C-alpha cells in the first residue's frame, strides 16, 4: 500500500486545526496574483461566479452500442468544440472535462459578465446543429446534450498538493446548479438550455432590452427544490450559415 495513512492522518489534523481566512470579494479574477491577498492553501476567497456544464444525453447507450473508434471521434469533436467556445473570453476561468461532460467556471462580478457566459450557452446550443450535420453527412450517429448554467457567490479554495495537483474548488450553488441543470436539460420536454434563477434574474433586463420577446423564450420550472428557466435559443447568423452557406466535406475515414 503506497498511501501512508499514518503520515496523512497528521496532515489531516494539521488542516483541521490550521488558521483559515476567508476573504470577501466581488471579483475573484486576480486570486492568483493579488499581492497580499492571493489564494493559498490556507485561506479562501468568496466572489461571484457563473458556471456552465454541457452533458451528453444518453451517453451510456452511445458508449455501449458503438465501436470504440466511433465513440472516441464523437467525444473528441464534442469536447474540443465546446471548449473552444468556453475558452473564447477574457473572463477569469477554469475549464475541465468529466467523462462525457465539459464544464467551465468563470469570475462574473458584473451583470455584463454573467450575460457573456449565458451567450456562450446559446452559442454551444447552436453548435450542436453544426456537429450533428457533419456527423450525419459522414454516417456517424448524431448526439444531443443539455446545457446548464448556474451562478452564485461562491467560496473558492485550493486543494491538493502544490507539486501534484493545483486545483480550485468552488463551494456554492453555481457549480451544483449548473451540473444538475445540465443533467435534466434536453430531456423529458425540458429545453436544451436551463439556467437557474440567479442567472436569469441578472440577464433578463439586458436581454429584454435587446429583444422584447426574450422572456417568452424561457419557461419557468422546478426540479425538486431547484427553480430554473429553460428554453431553446440559437444564434441566427450562425444557424443560417449552417443551413445555407456551408458546403459539407465528408471525412475520408471509416468509423
Amino acid at each position: 500500500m503506497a498511501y501512508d495513512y499514518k503520515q496523512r492522518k497528521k496532515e489531516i489534523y494539521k488542516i483541521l486545526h490550521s488558521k483559515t481566512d476567508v476573504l470577501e470579494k466581488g471579483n475573484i479574477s486576480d486570486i492568483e496574483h493579488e499581492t497580499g491577498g492571493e489564494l493559498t492553501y490556507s485561506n479562501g476567497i468568496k466572489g461571484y461566479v457563473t458556471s456552465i456544464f454541457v452533458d451528453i444525453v444518453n451517453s451510456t447507450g452511445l458508449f455501449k452500442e458503438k465501436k470504440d473508434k466511433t465513440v472516441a471521434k464523437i467525444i473528441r469533436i464534442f469536447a474540443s468544440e465546446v471548449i473552444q467556445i468556453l475558452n473564447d473570453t477574457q473572463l477569469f476561468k477554469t475549464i475541465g472535462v468529466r467523462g462525457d461532460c465539459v464544464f467551465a467556471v468563470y469570475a462574473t462580478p458584473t451583470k455584463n459578465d454573467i450575460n457573456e457566459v449565458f451567450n456562450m450557452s446559446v452559442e454551444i446550443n447552436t453548435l450542436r446543429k453544426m456537429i450533428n450535420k457533419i456527423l450525419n453527412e459522414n454516417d456517424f450517429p448524431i448526439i444531443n446534450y443539455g446545457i446548464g448554467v448556474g451562478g452564485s457567490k461562491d467560496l473558492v479554495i485550493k486543494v491538493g498538493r502544490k507539486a501534484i495537483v493545483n486545483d480550485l474548488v468552488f463551494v456554492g450553488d453555481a457549480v451544483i446548479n449548473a451540473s444538475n441543470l445540465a443533467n435534466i436539460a434536453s430531456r423529458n420536454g425540458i429545453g436544451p438550455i436551463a439556467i437557474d434563477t440567479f442567472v436569469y434574474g441578472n440577464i433578463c433586463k439586458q436581454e429584454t432590452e435587446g429583444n422584447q420577446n426574450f422572456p417568452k423564450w424561457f419557461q419557468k420550472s422546478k426540479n425538486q427544490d431547484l427553480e430554473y428557466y429553460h428554453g431553446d435559443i440559437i444564434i441566427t447568423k450562425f444557424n443560417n450559415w449552417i443551413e445555407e452557406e456551408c458546403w459539407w466535406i465528408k471525412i475520408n475515414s471509416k468509423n
Side-chain angles (χ1 to χ4, degrees), residues 90-207:
Q90 295 301 310
L91 298 177
F92 174 84
K93 59 190 173 292
T94 179
I95 297 175
V97 180
R98 295 177 183 172
D100 64 337
C101 180
V102 179
F103 68 93
V105 186
Y106 301 90
T108 52
T110 71
K111 290 186 177 183
N112 284 339
D113 296 332
I114 298 172
N115 204 73
E116 181 179 345
V117 176
F118 166 74
N119 287 333
M120 292 180 201
S121 73
V122 179
E123 192 169 5
I124 292 169
N125 188 38
T126 316
L127 168 70
R128 174 179 41 227
K129 296 188 68 174
M130 184 178 82
I131 289 176
N132 281 336
K133 192 159 188 177
I134 294 172
L135 290 175
N136 186 61
E137 286 286 329
N138 290 276
D139 301 319
F140 278 73
I142 63 173
I143 61 172
N144 191 17
Y145 48 72
I147 307 163
V149 188
S152 67
K153 192 173 188 180
D154 281 13
L155 171 65
V156 188
I157 60 174
K158 276 186 178 180
V159 298
R161 293 176 59 186
K162 198 166 187 179
I164 302 173
V165 176
N166 185 3
D167 260 345
L168 299 180
V169 174
F170 297 84
V171 184
D173 292 334
V175 171
I176 294 172
N177 287 354
S179 177
N180 289 339
L181 291 173
N183 287 327
I184 63 176
S186 287
R187 301 161 177 87
N188 302 316
I190 303 301
I193 302 174
I195 60 179
D196 68 8
T197 55
F198 177 89
V199 172
Y200 185 84
N202 277 279
I203 68 170
C204 187
K205 182 177 179 180
Q206 182 174 338
E207 289 289 339

Side-chain angles (χ1 to χ4, degrees), residues 63-74 255:
F63 295 162
K64 285 184 177 180
E65 295 171 7
K66 302 302 176 183
K67 297 178 181 178
D68 289 346
K69 288 192 292 185
T70 298
V71 172
K73 291 175 183 178
I74 292 172
N255 294 15

